[in-house]
Amino acid sequence: MSTSAKMKARIKAAEVMTQNFITLDGMQTVREALDAMRTNNTQVIIVNKRDQHDAYGILMLSDIAKQVMAKDRSLDRVNIYEVMSKPVVSVPPEMDVRYCARLFDKFGLSCAPVIEAEEILGLVGYQELLLKAFENFE
């Protein structure tokens, strides 16, 4: 198969997503979030819904750096909900990774949870899109 034919192969978000994320409650402190990130070796936290009618949130290390560290705020006095992004932009597991990349570019995202039937299946970011997707083209 030629390289151009391989590049046309459809790769789904579910095929490249990672399980390297954690979920926390928005009322937890940023210090607790950082401790959980360090323990689990991740840079992303998915913030749980408060109830069935709520939306998921997302907290990344960059959010903490920009909204807590840069503003000299206390890690113990800032709750996750104060610095997270909500609602989270998600992708369906069947989405082609090329469309994921376009979505990320259009909305300035670096990652998004893969959600189906209100359940988080995984997380997809540029690392997964590029490194894992292109393994299939060798």
Side-chain angles (χ1 to χ4, degrees):
M1 190 180 325
S2 71
T3 303
S4 62
K6 289 181 182 180
M7 291 298 288
K8 299 279 188 214
R10 185 168 182 260
I11 301 170
K12 302 171 189 173
E15 295 173 31
V16 300
M17 69 184 182
T18 180
Q19 299 295 314
N20 192 20
F21 70 93
I22 52 177
T23 57
L24 292 178
D25 184 86
M27 291 301 292
Q28 291 182 261
T29 66
V30 170
R31 180 172 306 280
E32 291 171 316
L34 282 172
D35 289 343
M37 287 173 158
R38 188 178 306 110
T39 300
N40 293 282
N41 193 30
T42 186
Q43 297 183 14
V44 180
I45 291 176
I46 301 298
V47 183
N48 289 321
K49 296 177 174 187
R50 291 175 294 174
D51 57 52
Q52 69 181 22
H53 303 292
D54 197 16
Y56 287 107
I58 191 166
L59 178 70
M60 295 184 286
L61 270 179
S62 58
D63 297 323
I64 296 170
K66 293 173 189 174
Q67 297 182 53
V68 180
M69 185 180 191
K71 295 181 179 180
D72 201 26
R73 297 172 73 188
S74 170
L75 296 175
D76 296 308
R77 299 193 70 194
V78 177
N79 296 92
I80 292 172
Y81 76 84
E82 296 177 69
V83 293
M84 70 180 181
S85 297
K86 186 175 177 176
V88 68
V89 175
S90 65
V91 299
E94 299 297 316
M95 183 178 272
D96 187 305
V97 295
R98 292 172 288 198
Y99 294 128
C100 290
R102 291 175 191 166
L103 179 77
F104 287 7
D105 179 52
K106 183 166 183 85
F107 293 100
L109 305 173
S110 60
C111 65
V114 179
I115 298 178
E116 183 174 52
E118 298 297 315
E119 181 184 341
I120 300 171
L121 305 177
L123 187 74
V124 67
Y126 280 121
Q127 180 173 336
E128 292 75 31
L129 293 179
L130 295 171
L131 301 181
K132 290 185 181 179
F134 280 106
E135 285 176 359
N136 296 325
F137 297 130
E138 297 179 342

